[in-house]
Amino acid sequence: MTTALKANSETTPILIAGGGNAARAAALSLAAAGLPVMVEPQLAEAPDAANDWQSVLALSPAAQAMLQALNVWSHLDLPGSPILDMYVYAGIDDVGVDDIDSGLLPARLGFGTPPASGETAAALAHIVSLAGLGRALHAALGERLGAKQISCAAAPIADFKAGDKTAILADGSVRRLALLVDCYRATPPWRALAAAQDLTADYDAAALIGTLQSNRPHGQMAAQIFLPDGPLALLPLPDKDRLALVWSLPRAKTKALAALSGDVLAHEMRQATQGRFGDLTPQGDMAVQPLALSLAQEMTGPSYVRLGDAAHVVHPLAGQGFNLSLRDAALLADTLYAARRLGLPSDDATMLARYQQARRGDAAVTAATTHGLAALFTGRMAPLGRLGLAVMGRAAKARPAWRAAFSAQANAGITADTMPRLMQGKGFPNT
């Protein structure tokens, strides 16, 4: 243990429970802070094989900085694709093609940072392959496991007794923990009896996801089209004429579209986009991603923390889901690092309460914003939504301070002024 952490001799592990990307990011973040981390066996296993570009993530610049600091970005085996700015359309039949840059709808939001003379524009976000990121997180975790900076439990956790901080493993053994970090989206036994129930909503909708080929270059621009049935996003991929599709629709319609032949789906895409993005031809199979909203009322409890999908699931229209999970992991690493420097245990109630206050606020704002936008542009209030979009587009162009505020919140949430170390691309002193 390093000098900075000698005030507390705690070496009992913090167990990361779960097997997904958020759990891997949490394990890497806490290990980077010099904390004793243990993972379940499934987290050390290679992620399932998947179509490389069928599902993508939009990572904020702060998320990218964090992944670089954790040595994950260098393990990406597929290139990322920057988004330099985005167009947002509402009621695509309402305006003509010549209106694009007039300040009328559709609006170019201008959230990307304008470049200085002779410089390249800063990216609003980076699109990465979900499958590729999973492999990169697994590789970085493997390095930590190999260096014995992270340990692996003998078996998966079957139950957790918060009162005496013990995990009952599937092989019958019992392990005392400093803290349980619960990353399971499904409800595990230890969470089933929680007094505070999650806030949930079933959209009765799903997202059609996949890859499209266009006969026009995308120019690193993203597009969000608010259609009567739900929002349609087109995201630039590394090839200049390929786009990722995320189209939210009623569940039955999504399944029907996913089953269409490529030619028929291409026709549906042209109808939906009015040909604004050229001929869009599906590349490979489309997939269906169920949509739901879930927000934990309590993200911490006696000796445990809920992180990632265990704490929040939001509508994908703003691309904030995994960014939220990374912000969870980064702030938890800061919180537990500070606790140890103060000589406090990892489950100190005051420190965890501060963590919960910050993360619940950020997740609640994101959930409310995405839920509200999805409802606003697909209901009877859609005309008001289109008016608001026009005002937003004009404001973003005319007021650099507003544009900077919008970009800051998209980048780092409501705590942008106090970003955790890892999201600033920084490490932890004396670890």
Side-chain angles (χ1 to χ4, degrees), residues 359-415:
R359 295 309 309 135
R360 187 167 57 184
D362 187 21
V365 168
T366 303
T369 301
T370 55
H371 183 76
L373 284 173
L376 177 62
F377 283 97
T378 56
R380 281 186 273 179
M381 298 295 287
L384 181 60
R386 290 194 287 272
L387 175 62
L389 181 64
V391 172
M392 184 187 297
R394 288 180 179 274
K397 290 178 182 179
R399 295 173 174 80
W402 285 24
R403 181 175 61 226
F406 291 146
S407 297
Q409 182 164 340
N411 182 37
I414 63 173
T415 56

Side-chain angles (χ1 to χ4, degrees), residues 28-306:
L28 290 168
S29 299
L30 299 191
L35 297 158
V37 179
M38 176 180 283
V39 298
E40 291 191 277
Q42 67 266 28
L43 200 62
E45 298 172 359
D48 294 337
N51 184 314
D52 278 341
W53 291 108
Q54 189 175 67
S55 185
V56 300
L57 295 170
L59 298 176
S60 69
Q64 180 187 8
M66 177 176 174
L67 294 174
Q68 288 172 330
L70 294 175
N71 197 31
V72 173
W73 200 260
S74 62
H75 283 293
L76 284 172
D77 54 13
L78 294 170
S81 181
I83 296 177
L84 299 185
D85 208 339
M86 68 184 298
Y87 287 115
V88 178
Y89 299 77
I92 202 161
D93 293 324
D94 293 350
V95 294
V97 174
D98 294 337
D99 292 329
I100 287 179
D101 289 316
S102 70
L104 302 174
L105 292 176
R108 177 173 178 171
L109 295 188
F111 287 169
T113 303
S117 178
E119 296 181 359
T120 303
L124 177 64
H126 273 82
I127 300 299
V128 299
S129 158
L130 176 59
L133 181 62
R135 292 191 294 267
L137 284 162
H138 176 257
L141 181 64
E143 290 180 344
R144 292 276 188 177
L145 287 165
K148 301 188 183 304
Q149 296 167 341
I150 294 177
S151 62
C152 190
I157 182 173
D159 204 355
F160 176 66
K161 305 300 182 184
D164 54 7
K165 299 196 290 188
T166 57
I168 296 96
L169 303 185
D171 63 0
S173 61
V174 176
R175 185 67 192 255
R176 183 171 173 78
L177 304 179
L179 185 72
L180 176 68
V181 180
D182 177 358
C183 300
Y184 280 108
R185 182 167 183 172
T187 304
W190 58 86
R191 208 197 301 156
L193 299 178
Q197 297 299 309
D198 296 349
L199 302 173
T200 61
D202 184 354
Y203 290 111
D204 191 24
L208 183 72
I209 57 175
T211 305
L212 303 171
Q213 184 90 27
S214 175
N215 62 346
R216 298 181 188 175
H218 53 61
Q220 306 306 141
M221 297 290 291
Q224 184 88 55
I225 307 169
F226 288 96
L227 298 168
D229 280 343
L232 184 158
L234 297 171
L235 307 170
L237 295 180
D239 293 340
K240 65 181 181 180
D241 54 358
R242 295 181 76 207
L243 295 158
L245 169 70
V246 184
W247 189 2
S248 302
L249 294 155
R251 190 173 293 137
K253 187 170 182 178
T254 308
K255 292 180 180 179
L257 287 173
L260 294 177
S261 67
D263 289 345
V264 177
L265 184 55
H267 172 76
E268 293 293 327
M269 291 301 307
R270 173 166 280 278
Q271 291 294 107
T273 63
Q274 295 293 293
R276 288 181 181 275
F277 306 95
D279 295 326
L280 299 174
T281 306
Q283 301 291 294
D285 294 335
M286 295 284 128
V288 175
Q289 175 186 321
L291 301 182
L293 172 69
S294 177
L295 185 65
Q297 293 194 64
E298 300 295 337
M299 294 183 178
T300 65
S303 304
Y304 75 87
V305 172
R306 293 173 62 175

